[in-house]
Amino acid sequence: MRGMRVTVGLLEFGDNLAKILSAYPYLEEEYIKQAFSYATWRAEEIDISARAS
């Protein structure tokens, strides 16, 4: 889970896939895309829950 937070954080602060893959060569592009998709989904879920309260 920590790896996902780091990856999404790097994307959030403007790093691109090439830069992340250069810094973390053991990651795969698909992993980074999945982490970002999951973070986006979670953010939407939290937003919907907050509006329902």
Side-chain angles (χ1 to χ4, degrees):
M1 192 63 127
R2 181 183 173 339
M4 183 174 63
R5 286 192 301 259
V6 170
T7 303
V8 172
L10 292 170
L11 287 169
E12 178 183 10
F13 289 106
D15 286 349
N16 61 31
L17 287 173
K19 191 171 181 179
I20 294 169
L21 290 169
S22 175
Y24 300 94
Y26 53 87
L27 294 178
E28 296 181 19
E29 185 174 334
E30 185 59 30
Y31 170 80
I32 296 168
K33 289 178 180 179
Q34 288 177 7
F36 195 64
S37 292
Y38 177 76
T40 302
W41 173 78
R42 286 291 295 159
E44 290 172 356
E45 182 179 81
I46 291 168
D47 185 44
I48 291 169
S49 296
R51 283 190 262 158
S53 298

mmCIF file of all heavy atoms in Angstrom:
data_model
loop_
_atom_site.group_PDB
_atom_site.id
_atom_site.type_symbol
_atom_site.label_atom_id
_atom_site.label_comp_id
_atom_site.label_asym_id
_atom_site.label_seq_id
_atom_site.Cartn_x
_atom_site.Cartn_y
_atom_site.Cartn_z
ATOM 1 N N MET A 1 0.822 -1.194 0.000
ATOM 2 C CA MET A 1 0.000 0.000 0.000
ATOM 3 C C MET A 1 0.869 1.262 0.000
ATOM 4 O O MET A 1 0.547 2.228 -0.655
ATOM 5 C CB MET A 1 -0.926 -0.027 1.213
ATOM 6 C CG MET A 1 -2.004 0.994 1.174
ATOM 7 S SD MET A 1 -3.127 0.768 -0.192
ATOM 8 C CE MET A 1 -4.651 0.756 0.637
ATOM 9 N N ARG A 2 1.970 1.225 0.751
ATOM 10 C CA ARG A 2 2.865 2.378 0.799
ATOM 11 C C ARG A 2 3.385 2.720 -0.594
ATOM 12 O O ARG A 2 3.449 3.876 -0.982
ATOM 13 C CB ARG A 2 4.022 2.111 1.743
ATOM 14 C CG ARG A 2 4.999 3.276 1.867
ATOM 15 C CD ARG A 2 6.168 2.905 2.758
ATOM 16 N NE ARG A 2 7.284 3.735 2.924
ATOM 17 C CZ ARG A 2 7.761 4.696 2.186
ATOM 18 N NH1 ARG A 2 7.162 5.050 1.106
ATOM 19 N NH2 ARG A 2 8.844 5.373 2.468
ATOM 20 N N GLY A 3 3.743 1.699 -1.364
ATOM 21 C CA GLY A 3 4.239 1.926 -2.711
ATOM 22 C C GLY A 3 3.221 2.638 -3.580
ATOM 23 O O GLY A 3 3.565 3.488 -4.396
ATOM 24 N N MET A 4 1.955 2.283 -3.387
ATOM 25 C CA MET A 4 0.907 2.930 -4.166
ATOM 26 C C MET A 4 0.806 4.401 -3.779
ATOM 27 O O MET A 4 0.683 5.265 -4.637
ATOM 28 C CB MET A 4 -0.439 2.249 -3.955
ATOM 29 C CG MET A 4 -1.521 2.866 -4.822
ATOM 30 S SD MET A 4 -3.098 2.036 -4.785
ATOM 31 C CE MET A 4 -3.579 2.218 -3.106
ATOM 32 N N ARG A 5 0.885 4.704 -2.485
ATOM 33 C CA ARG A 5 0.803 6.107 -2.044
ATOM 34 C C ARG A 5 1.958 6.920 -2.615
ATOM 35 O O ARG A 5 1.771 8.048 -3.047
ATOM 36 C CB ARG A 5 0.799 6.184 -0.518
ATOM 37 C CG ARG A 5 -0.507 5.756 0.096
ATOM 38 C CD ARG A 5 -0.569 6.123 1.568
ATOM 39 N NE ARG A 5 0.498 5.525 2.344
ATOM 40 C CZ ARG A 5 0.363 4.450 3.104
ATOM 41 N NH1 ARG A 5 -0.802 3.846 3.174
ATOM 42 N NH2 ARG A 5 1.371 3.981 3.793
ATOM 43 N N VAL A 6 3.148 6.340 -2.606
ATOM 44 C CA VAL A 6 4.316 7.043 -3.154
ATOM 45 C C VAL A 6 4.123 7.293 -4.641
ATOM 46 O O VAL A 6 4.336 8.403 -5.129
ATOM 47 C CB VAL A 6 5.612 6.241 -2.895
ATOM 48 C CG1 VAL A 6 6.783 6.825 -3.667
ATOM 49 C CG2 VAL A 6 5.919 6.185 -1.413
ATOM 50 N N THR A 7 3.692 6.272 -5.367
ATOM 51 C CA THR A 7 3.508 6.393 -6.808
ATOM 52 C C THR A 7 2.467 7.451 -7.147
ATOM 53 O O THR A 7 2.691 8.315 -7.994
ATOM 54 C CB THR A 7 3.077 5.042 -7.403
ATOM 55 O OG1 THR A 7 4.056 4.062 -7.069
ATOM 56 C CG2 THR A 7 2.937 5.107 -8.894
ATOM 57 N N VAL A 8 1.342 7.414 -6.492
ATOM 58 C CA VAL A 8 0.282 8.394 -6.755
ATOM 59 C C VAL A 8 0.750 9.784 -6.345
ATOM 60 O O VAL A 8 0.482 10.764 -7.042
ATOM 61 C CB VAL A 8 -1.028 7.998 -6.033
ATOM 62 C CG1 VAL A 8 -2.068 9.101 -6.130
ATOM 63 C CG2 VAL A 8 -1.564 6.702 -6.617
ATOM 64 N N GLY A 9 1.476 9.875 -5.258
ATOM 65 C CA GLY A 9 2.013 11.167 -4.836
ATOM 66 C C GLY A 9 2.949 11.765 -5.875
ATOM 67 O O GLY A 9 2.908 12.962 -6.144
ATOM 68 N N LEU A 10 3.801 10.928 -6.457
ATOM 69 C CA LEU A 10 4.710 11.413 -7.496
ATOM 70 C C LEU A 10 3.941 11.921 -8.704
ATOM 71 O O LEU A 10 4.277 12.965 -9.269
ATOM 72 C CB LEU A 10 5.679 10.299 -7.907
ATOM 73 C CG LEU A 10 6.708 9.884 -6.854
ATOM 74 C CD1 LEU A 10 7.433 8.628 -7.303
ATOM 75 C CD2 LEU A 10 7.684 11.007 -6.568
ATOM 76 N N LEU A 11 2.900 11.206 -9.104
ATOM 77 C CA LEU A 11 2.073 11.657 -10.224
ATOM 78 C C LEU A 11 1.370 12.970 -9.876
ATOM 79 O O LEU A 11 1.297 13.881 -10.686
ATOM 80 C CB LEU A 11 1.044 10.594 -10.593
ATOM 81 C CG LEU A 11 1.578 9.360 -11.314
ATOM 82 C CD1 LEU A 11 0.503 8.282 -11.377
ATOM 83 C CD2 LEU A 11 2.056 9.706 -12.713
ATOM 84 N N GLU A 12 0.880 13.043 -8.652
ATOM 85 C CA GLU A 12 0.160 14.245 -8.210
ATOM 86 C C GLU A 12 1.049 15.483 -8.270
ATOM 87 O O GLU A 12 0.594 16.568 -8.607
ATOM 88 C CB GLU A 12 -0.342 14.041 -6.780
ATOM 89 C CG GLU A 12 -1.063 15.239 -6.208
ATOM 90 C CD GLU A 12 -1.485 15.045 -4.764
ATOM 91 O OE1 GLU A 12 -1.072 14.066 -4.131
ATOM 92 O OE2 GLU A 12 -2.224 15.911 -4.278
ATOM 93 N N PHE A 13 2.335 15.315 -7.949
ATOM 94 C CA PHE A 13 3.239 16.461 -7.911
ATOM 95 C C PHE A 13 3.977 16.688 -9.229
ATOM 96 O O PHE A 13 4.957 17.398 -9.285
ATOM 97 C CB PHE A 13 4.201 16.342 -6.741
ATOM 98 C CG PHE A 13 3.514 16.550 -5.429
ATOM 99 C CD1 PHE A 13 3.252 15.490 -4.594
ATOM 100 C CD2 PHE A 13 3.069 17.813 -5.057
ATOM 101 C CE1 PHE A 13 2.588 15.666 -3.391
ATOM 102 C CE2 PHE A 13 2.403 18.003 -3.857
ATOM 103 C CZ PHE A 13 2.160 16.933 -3.021
ATOM 104 N N GLY A 14 3.478 16.069 -10.298
ATOM 105 C CA GLY A 14 3.948 16.415 -11.620
ATOM 106 C C GLY A 14 4.956 15.490 -12.267
ATOM 107 O O GLY A 14 5.364 15.734 -13.391
ATOM 108 N N ASP A 15 5.404 14.457 -11.562
ATOM 109 C CA ASP A 15 6.308 13.511 -12.209
ATOM 110 C C ASP A 15 5.545 12.722 -13.260
ATOM 111 O O ASP A 15 4.369 12.412 -13.084
ATOM 112 C CB ASP A 15 6.922 12.545 -11.191
ATOM 113 C CG ASP A 15 7.984 13.208 -10.328
ATOM 114 O OD1 ASP A 15 8.393 14.339 -10.656
ATOM 115 O OD2 ASP A 15 8.400 12.591 -9.338
ATOM 116 N N ASN A 16 6.196 12.412 -14.363
ATOM 117 C CA ASN A 16 5.537 11.610 -15.390
ATOM 118 C C ASN A 16 5.963 10.154 -15.267
ATOM 119 O O ASN A 16 6.831 9.813 -14.447
ATOM 120 C CB ASN A 16 5.827 12.175 -16.788
ATOM 121 C CG ASN A 16 7.297 12.168 -17.120
ATOM 122 O OD1 ASN A 16 8.060 11.317 -16.669
ATOM 123 N ND2 ASN A 16 7.711 13.120 -17.929
ATOM 124 N N LEU A 17 5.346 9.294 -16.052
ATOM 125 C CA LEU A 17 5.631 7.860 -15.967
ATOM 126 C C LEU A 17 7.108 7.559 -16.197
ATOM 127 O O LEU A 17 7.696 6.750 -15.478
ATOM 128 C CB LEU A 17 4.784 7.086 -16.979
ATOM 129 C CG LEU A 17 3.306 6.969 -16.650
ATOM 130 C CD1 LEU A 17 2.562 6.332 -17.817
ATOM 131 C CD2 LEU A 17 3.097 6.153 -15.390
ATOM 132 N N ALA A 18 7.722 8.200 -17.177
ATOM 133 C CA ALA A 18 9.131 7.935 -17.487
ATOM 134 C C ALA A 18 10.030 8.269 -16.299
ATOM 135 O O ALA A 18 10.951 7.517 -15.975
ATOM 136 C CB ALA A 18 9.555 8.728 -18.715
ATOM 137 N N LYS A 19 9.749 9.380 -15.637
ATOM 138 C CA LYS A 19 10.560 9.794 -14.490
ATOM 139 C C LYS A 19 10.387 8.826 -13.316
ATOM 140 O O LYS A 19 11.354 8.470 -12.646
ATOM 141 C CB LYS A 19 10.183 11.213 -14.075
ATOM 142 C CG LYS A 19 11.122 11.825 -13.078
ATOM 143 C CD LYS A 19 10.820 13.294 -12.882
ATOM 144 C CE LYS A 19 11.782 13.907 -11.897
ATOM 145 N NZ LYS A 19 11.519 15.330 -11.702
ATOM 146 N N ILE A 20 9.164 8.398 -13.082
ATOM 147 C CA ILE A 20 8.903 7.444 -11.993
ATOM 148 C C ILE A 20 9.578 6.107 -12.291
ATOM 149 O O ILE A 20 10.228 5.523 -11.419
ATOM 150 C CB ILE A 20 7.392 7.267 -11.773
ATOM 151 C CG1 ILE A 20 6.782 8.574 -11.264
ATOM 152 C CG2 ILE A 20 7.110 6.131 -10.788
ATOM 153 C CD1 ILE A 20 5.276 8.597 -11.251
ATOM 154 N N LEU A 21 9.452 5.635 -13.528
ATOM 155 C CA LEU A 21 10.077 4.363 -13.897
ATOM 156 C C LEU A 21 11.594 4.449 -13.818
ATOM 157 O O LEU A 21 12.258 3.456 -13.483
ATOM 158 C CB LEU A 21 9.628 3.939 -15.297
ATOM 159 C CG LEU A 21 8.168 3.507 -15.395
ATOM 160 C CD1 LEU A 21 7.752 3.364 -16.850
ATOM 161 C CD2 LEU A 21 7.931 2.218 -14.638
ATOM 162 N N SER A 22 12.161 5.598 -14.083
ATOM 163 C CA SER A 22 13.609 5.786 -13.972
ATOM 164 C C SER A 22 14.043 5.728 -12.504
ATOM 165 O O SER A 22 15.067 5.133 -12.176
ATOM 166 C CB SER A 22 13.998 7.125 -14.588
ATOM 167 O OG SER A 22 15.363 7.384 -14.398
ATOM 168 N N ALA A 23 13.249 6.335 -11.634
ATOM 169 C CA ALA A 23 13.573 6.353 -10.203
ATOM 170 C C ALA A 23 13.301 5.011 -9.529
ATOM 171 O O ALA A 23 13.983 4.642 -8.566
ATOM 172 C CB ALA A 23 12.776 7.451 -9.509
ATOM 173 N N TYR A 24 12.308 4.290 -10.030
ATOM 174 C CA TYR A 24 11.907 3.003 -9.453
ATOM 175 C C TYR A 24 11.842 1.957 -10.570
ATOM 176 O O TYR A 24 10.763 1.574 -11.015
ATOM 177 C CB TYR A 24 10.543 3.122 -8.770
ATOM 178 C CG TYR A 24 10.529 4.130 -7.649
ATOM 179 C CD1 TYR A 24 10.139 5.450 -7.866
ATOM 180 C CD2 TYR A 24 10.923 3.771 -6.360
ATOM 181 C CE1 TYR A 24 10.138 6.381 -6.843
ATOM 182 C CE2 TYR A 24 10.917 4.699 -5.326
ATOM 183 C CZ TYR A 24 10.533 5.998 -5.582
ATOM 184 O OH TYR A 24 10.531 6.915 -4.554
ATOM 185 N N PRO A 25 12.993 1.487 -11.034
ATOM 186 C CA PRO A 25 13.022 0.596 -12.205
ATOM 187 C C PRO A 25 12.329 -0.759 -12.003
ATOM 188 O O PRO A 25 12.006 -1.432 -12.976
ATOM 189 C CB PRO A 25 14.518 0.412 -12.478
ATOM 190 C CG PRO A 25 15.204 0.800 -11.227
ATOM 191 C CD PRO A 25 14.317 1.776 -10.526
ATOM 192 N N TYR A 26 12.068 -1.126 -10.769
ATOM 193 C CA TYR A 26 11.389 -2.399 -10.507
ATOM 194 C C TYR A 26 9.879 -2.299 -10.714
ATOM 195 O O TYR A 26 9.179 -3.313 -10.747
ATOM 196 C CB TYR A 26 11.695 -2.910 -9.090
ATOM 197 C CG TYR A 26 11.402 -1.892 -8.007
ATOM 198 C CD1 TYR A 26 10.135 -1.774 -7.450
ATOM 199 C CD2 TYR A 26 12.412 -1.036 -7.560
ATOM 200 C CE1 TYR A 26 9.872 -0.843 -6.477
ATOM 201 C CE2 TYR A 26 12.155 -0.105 -6.575
ATOM 202 C CZ TYR A 26 10.897 -0.015 -6.037
ATOM 203 O OH TYR A 26 10.637 0.925 -5.068
ATOM 204 N N LEU A 27 9.356 -1.083 -10.865
ATOM 205 C CA LEU A 27 7.930 -0.916 -11.130
ATOM 206 C C LEU A 27 7.656 -1.108 -12.614
ATOM 207 O O LEU A 27 8.536 -0.940 -13.449
ATOM 208 C CB LEU A 27 7.468 0.483 -10.721
ATOM 209 C CG LEU A 27 7.512 0.816 -9.240
ATOM 210 C CD1 LEU A 27 7.071 2.252 -9.026
ATOM 211 C CD2 LEU A 27 6.635 -0.124 -8.445
ATOM 212 N N GLU A 28 6.439 -1.417 -12.907
ATOM 213 C CA GLU A 28 6.012 -1.526 -14.301
ATOM 214 C C GLU A 28 4.977 -0.441 -14.577
ATOM 215 O O GLU A 28 4.240 -0.022 -13.692
ATOM 216 C CB GLU A 28 5.402 -2.904 -14.558
ATOM 217 C CG GLU A 28 6.410 -4.032 -14.393
ATOM 218 C CD GLU A 28 5.802 -5.391 -14.667
ATOM 219 O OE1 GLU A 28 4.739 -5.455 -15.308
ATOM 220 O OE2 GLU A 28 6.406 -6.376 -14.232
ATOM 221 N N GLU A 29 4.949 0.014 -15.813
ATOM 222 C CA GLU A 29 4.028 1.079 -16.200
ATOM 223 C C GLU A 29 2.586 0.724 -15.840
ATOM 224 O O GLU A 29 1.838 1.568 -15.344
ATOM 225 C CB GLU A 29 4.145 1.353 -17.695
ATOM 226 C CG GLU A 29 3.302 2.515 -18.147
ATOM 227 C CD GLU A 29 3.533 2.881 -19.606
ATOM 228 O OE1 GLU A 29 4.618 2.603 -20.134
ATOM 229 O OE2 GLU A 29 2.603 3.438 -20.206
ATOM 230 N N GLU A 30 2.196 -0.503 -16.055
ATOM 231 C CA GLU A 30 0.825 -0.925 -15.764
ATOM 232 C C GLU A 30 0.511 -0.789 -14.276
ATOM 233 O O GLU A 30 -0.593 -0.410 -13.899
ATOM 234 C CB GLU A 30 0.596 -2.363 -16.237
ATOM 235 C CG GLU A 30 -0.826 -2.836 -16.086
ATOM 236 C CD GLU A 30 -1.846 -1.990 -16.856
ATOM 237 O OE1 GLU A 30 -1.498 -1.418 -17.908
ATOM 238 O OE2 GLU A 30 -3.000 -1.914 -16.414
ATOM 239 N N TYR A 31 1.484 -1.082 -13.410
ATOM 240 C CA TYR A 31 1.289 -0.938 -11.966
ATOM 241 C C TYR A 31 0.982 0.519 -11.613
ATOM 242 O O TYR A 31 0.077 0.804 -10.841
ATOM 243 C CB TYR A 31 2.538 -1.404 -11.214
ATOM 244 C CG TYR A 31 2.504 -1.051 -9.751
ATOM 245 C CD1 TYR A 31 1.779 -1.828 -8.856
ATOM 246 C CD2 TYR A 31 3.156 0.069 -9.266
ATOM 247 C CE1 TYR A 31 1.723 -1.489 -7.513
ATOM 248 C CE2 TYR A 31 3.110 0.411 -7.930
ATOM 249 C CZ TYR A 31 2.388 -0.371 -7.056
ATOM 250 O OH TYR A 31 2.320 -0.032 -5.744
ATOM 251 N N ILE A 32 1.726 1.426 -12.214
ATOM 252 C CA ILE A 32 1.526 2.850 -11.925
ATOM 253 C C ILE A 32 0.142 3.289 -12.395
ATOM 254 O O ILE A 32 -0.570 4.002 -11.684
ATOM 255 C CB ILE A 32 2.636 3.685 -12.588
ATOM 256 C CG1 ILE A 32 3.990 3.312 -11.968
ATOM 257 C CG2 ILE A 32 2.366 5.175 -12.438
ATOM 258 C CD1 ILE A 32 5.179 3.849 -12.726
ATOM 259 N N LYS A 33 -0.256 2.861 -13.567
ATOM 260 C CA LYS A 33 -1.583 3.218 -14.091
ATOM 261 C C LYS A 33 -2.689 2.656 -13.198
ATOM 262 O O LYS A 33 -3.688 3.330 -12.926
ATOM 263 C CB LYS A 33 -1.739 2.708 -15.520
ATOM 264 C CG LYS A 33 -0.901 3.478 -16.513
ATOM 265 C CD LYS A 33 -1.061 2.908 -17.907
ATOM 266 C CE LYS A 33 -0.236 3.677 -18.921
ATOM 267 N NZ LYS A 33 -0.373 3.119 -20.271
ATOM 268 N N GLN A 34 -2.519 1.430 -12.725
ATOM 269 C CA GLN A 34 -3.523 0.832 -11.838
ATOM 270 C C GLN A 34 -3.588 1.563 -10.511
ATOM 271 O O GLN A 34 -4.677 1.779 -9.961
ATOM 272 C CB GLN A 34 -3.212 -0.648 -11.625
ATOM 273 C CG GLN A 34 -3.485 -1.496 -12.840
ATOM 274 C CD GLN A 34 -3.095 -2.947 -12.634
ATOM 275 O OE1 GLN A 34 -2.727 -3.371 -11.549
ATOM 276 N NE2 GLN A 34 -3.184 -3.722 -13.701
ATOM 277 N N ALA A 35 -2.450 1.957 -9.978
ATOM 278 C CA ALA A 35 -2.422 2.697 -8.713
ATOM 279 C C ALA A 35 -3.157 4.023 -8.858
ATOM 280 O O ALA A 35 -3.947 4.415 -7.991
ATOM 281 C CB ALA A 35 -0.985 2.932 -8.271
ATOM 282 N N PHE A 36 -2.930 4.709 -9.969
ATOM 283 C CA PHE A 36 -3.600 5.987 -10.195
ATOM 284 C C PHE A 36 -5.101 5.798 -10.388
ATOM 285 O O PHE A 36 -5.905 6.563 -9.856
ATOM 286 C CB PHE A 36 -2.978 6.692 -11.398
ATOM 287 C CG PHE A 36 -3.341 8.141 -11.478
ATOM 288 C CD1 PHE A 36 -2.935 9.031 -10.503
ATOM 289 C CD2 PHE A 36 -4.104 8.616 -12.523
ATOM 290 C CE1 PHE A 36 -3.279 10.371 -10.567
ATOM 291 C CE2 PHE A 36 -4.456 9.946 -12.605
ATOM 292 C CZ PHE A 36 -4.038 10.827 -11.622
ATOM 293 N N SER A 37 -5.494 4.758 -11.097
ATOM 294 C CA SER A 37 -6.925 4.467 -11.281
ATOM 295 C C SER A 37 -7.597 4.173 -9.953
ATOM 296 O O SER A 37 -8.700 4.649 -9.680
ATOM 297 C CB SER A 37 -7.104 3.275 -12.227
ATOM 298 O OG SER A 37 -6.723 3.599 -13.520
ATOM 299 N N TYR A 38 -6.915 3.391 -9.102
ATOM 300 C CA TYR A 38 -7.472 3.060 -7.791
ATOM 301 C C TYR A 38 -7.618 4.322 -6.935
ATOM 302 O O TYR A 38 -8.651 4.533 -6.298
ATOM 303 C CB TYR A 38 -6.587 2.038 -7.073
ATOM 304 C CG TYR A 38 -7.072 1.726 -5.687
ATOM 305 C CD1 TYR A 38 -8.173 0.897 -5.491
ATOM 306 C CD2 TYR A 38 -6.446 2.265 -4.570
ATOM 307 C CE1 TYR A 38 -8.632 0.621 -4.216
ATOM 308 C CE2 TYR A 38 -6.894 1.985 -3.300
ATOM 309 C CZ TYR A 38 -7.993 1.167 -3.120
ATOM 310 O OH TYR A 38 -8.446 0.906 -1.862
ATOM 311 N N ALA A 39 -6.603 5.176 -6.945
ATOM 312 C CA ALA A 39 -6.664 6.410 -6.155
ATOM 313 C C ALA A 39 -7.806 7.305 -6.631
ATOM 314 O O ALA A 39 -8.507 7.911 -5.821
ATOM 315 C CB ALA A 39 -5.333 7.144 -6.246
ATOM 316 N N THR A 40 -8.001 7.375 -7.933
ATOM 317 C CA THR A 40 -9.095 8.167 -8.493
ATOM 318 C C THR A 40 -10.435 7.604 -8.049
ATOM 319 O O THR A 40 -11.340 8.337 -7.630
ATOM 320 C CB THR A 40 -9.007 8.199 -10.028
ATOM 321 O OG1 THR A 40 -7.737 8.739 -10.398
ATOM 322 C CG2 THR A 40 -10.122 9.022 -10.634
ATOM 323 N N TRP A 41 -10.582 6.293 -8.115
ATOM 324 C CA TRP A 41 -11.823 5.636 -7.688
ATOM 325 C C TRP A 41 -12.097 5.907 -6.211
ATOM 326 O O TRP A 41 -13.220 6.232 -5.830
ATOM 327 C CB TRP A 41 -11.721 4.139 -7.961
ATOM 328 C CG TRP A 41 -12.876 3.366 -7.407
ATOM 329 C CD1 TRP A 41 -14.127 3.255 -7.933
ATOM 330 C CD2 TRP A 41 -12.879 2.599 -6.194
ATOM 331 N NE1 TRP A 41 -14.910 2.463 -7.127
ATOM 332 C CE2 TRP A 41 -14.171 2.046 -6.049
ATOM 333 C CE3 TRP A 41 -11.920 2.333 -5.225
ATOM 334 C CZ2 TRP A 41 -14.515 1.244 -4.972
ATOM 335 C CZ3 TRP A 41 -12.267 1.528 -4.155
ATOM 336 C CH2 TRP A 41 -13.559 0.998 -4.040
ATOM 337 N N ARG A 42 -11.058 5.801 -5.365
ATOM 338 C CA ARG A 42 -11.239 6.027 -3.928
ATOM 339 C C ARG A 42 -11.639 7.479 -3.658
ATOM 340 O O ARG A 42 -12.478 7.751 -2.800
ATOM 341 C CB ARG A 42 -9.950 5.698 -3.160
ATOM 342 C CG ARG A 42 -9.672 4.228 -3.041
ATOM 343 C CD ARG A 42 -10.648 3.524 -2.150
ATOM 344 N NE ARG A 42 -10.496 4.013 -0.793
ATOM 345 C CZ ARG A 42 -11.408 3.926 0.147
ATOM 346 N NH1 ARG A 42 -12.554 3.343 -0.101
ATOM 347 N NH2 ARG A 42 -11.200 4.406 1.332
ATOM 348 N N ALA A 43 -11.047 8.405 -4.376
ATOM 349 C CA ALA A 43 -11.384 9.812 -4.176
ATOM 350 C C ALA A 43 -12.844 10.066 -4.526
ATOM 351 O O ALA A 43 -13.543 10.803 -3.826
ATOM 352 C CB ALA A 43 -10.469 10.695 -5.014
ATOM 353 N N GLU A 44 -13.313 9.461 -5.589
ATOM 354 C CA GLU A 44 -14.720 9.606 -5.970
ATOM 355 C C GLU A 44 -15.631 8.978 -4.931
ATOM 356 O O GLU A 44 -16.663 9.543 -4.583
ATOM 357 C CB GLU A 44 -14.960 8.971 -7.331
ATOM 358 C CG GLU A 44 -14.320 9.724 -8.474
ATOM 359 C CD GLU A 44 -14.389 8.985 -9.797
ATOM 360 O OE1 GLU A 44 -14.881 7.840 -9.822
ATOM 361 O OE2 GLU A 44 -13.937 9.548 -10.794
ATOM 362 N N GLU A 45 -15.234 7.834 -4.399
ATOM 363 C CA GLU A 45 -16.044 7.158 -3.383
ATOM 364 C C GLU A 45 -16.142 8.011 -2.132
ATOM 365 O O GLU A 45 -17.217 8.146 -1.535
ATOM 366 C CB GLU A 45 -15.418 5.791 -3.049
ATOM 367 C CG GLU A 45 -16.224 5.006 -2.038
ATOM 368 C CD GLU A 45 -15.591 3.663 -1.746
ATOM 369 O OE1 GLU A 45 -14.649 3.627 -0.940
ATOM 370 O OE2 GLU A 45 -16.024 2.667 -2.338
ATOM 371 N N ILE A 46 -15.062 8.616 -1.704
ATOM 372 C CA ILE A 46 -15.056 9.461 -0.519
ATOM 373 C C ILE A 46 -15.911 10.697 -0.750
ATOM 374 O O ILE A 46 -16.681 11.115 0.094
ATOM 375 C CB ILE A 46 -13.604 9.851 -0.136
ATOM 376 C CG1 ILE A 46 -12.886 8.602 0.369
ATOM 377 C CG2 ILE A 46 -13.581 10.946 0.919
ATOM 378 C CD1 ILE A 46 -11.390 8.756 0.504
ATOM 379 N N ASP A 47 -15.835 11.286 -1.928
ATOM 380 C CA ASP A 47 -16.626 12.459 -2.261
ATOM 381 C C ASP A 47 -18.114 12.149 -2.199
ATOM 382 O O ASP A 47 -18.905 12.910 -1.663
ATOM 383 C CB ASP A 47 -16.228 12.975 -3.656
ATOM 384 C CG ASP A 47 -16.943 14.263 -4.008
ATOM 385 O OD1 ASP A 47 -17.037 15.157 -3.152
ATOM 386 O OD2 ASP A 47 -17.416 14.360 -5.160
ATOM 387 N N ILE A 48 -18.521 11.027 -2.754
ATOM 388 C CA ILE A 48 -19.928 10.630 -2.744
ATOM 389 C C ILE A 48 -20.399 10.404 -1.323
ATOM 390 O O ILE A 48 -21.474 10.857 -0.923
ATOM 391 C CB ILE A 48 -20.154 9.373 -3.614
ATOM 392 C CG1 ILE A 48 -19.946 9.724 -5.089
ATOM 393 C CG2 ILE A 48 -21.534 8.781 -3.372
ATOM 394 C CD1 ILE A 48 -19.877 8.522 -6.010
ATOM 395 N N SER A 49 -19.580 9.748 -0.489
ATOM 396 C CA SER A 49 -19.934 9.497 0.908
ATOM 397 C C SER A 49 -20.084 10.795 1.673
ATOM 398 O O SER A 49 -20.967 10.944 2.507
ATOM 399 C CB SER A 49 -18.871 8.608 1.572
ATOM 400 O OG SER A 49 -18.840 7.354 0.968
ATOM 401 N N ALA A 50 -19.198 11.750 1.420
ATOM 402 C CA ALA A 50 -19.248 13.020 2.138
ATOM 403 C C ALA A 50 -20.510 13.796 1.781
ATOM 404 O O ALA A 50 -21.127 14.423 2.640
ATOM 405 C CB ALA A 50 -18.012 13.851 1.823
ATOM 406 N N ARG A 51 -20.918 13.751 0.541
ATOM 407 C CA ARG A 51 -22.132 14.466 0.126
ATOM 408 C C ARG A 51 -23.388 13.815 0.698
ATOM 409 O O ARG A 51 -24.379 14.486 0.933
ATOM 410 C CB ARG A 51 -22.222 14.528 -1.386
ATOM 411 C CG ARG A 51 -21.296 15.572 -1.971
ATOM 412 C CD ARG A 51 -21.569 15.770 -3.424
ATOM 413 N NE ARG A 51 -20.584 14.979 -4.171
ATOM 414 C CZ ARG A 51 -20.726 14.572 -5.405
ATOM 415 N NH1 ARG A 51 -21.812 14.841 -6.075
ATOM 416 N NH2 ARG A 51 -19.792 13.884 -5.993
ATOM 417 N N ALA A 52 -23.340 12.515 0.923
ATOM 418 C CA ALA A 52 -24.506 11.798 1.426
ATOM 419 C C ALA A 52 -24.735 12.069 2.916
ATOM 420 O O ALA A 52 -25.831 11.895 3.416
ATOM 421 C CB ALA A 52 -24.342 10.300 1.197
ATOM 422 N N SER A 53 -23.706 12.507 3.623
ATOM 423 C CA SER A 53 -23.811 12.740 5.081
ATOM 424 C C SER A 53 -24.571 13.980 5.413
ATOM 425 O O SER A 53 -24.675 14.930 4.779
ATOM 426 C CB SER A 53 -22.416 12.843 5.684
ATOM 427 O OG SER A 53 -21.730 11.641 5.492
#
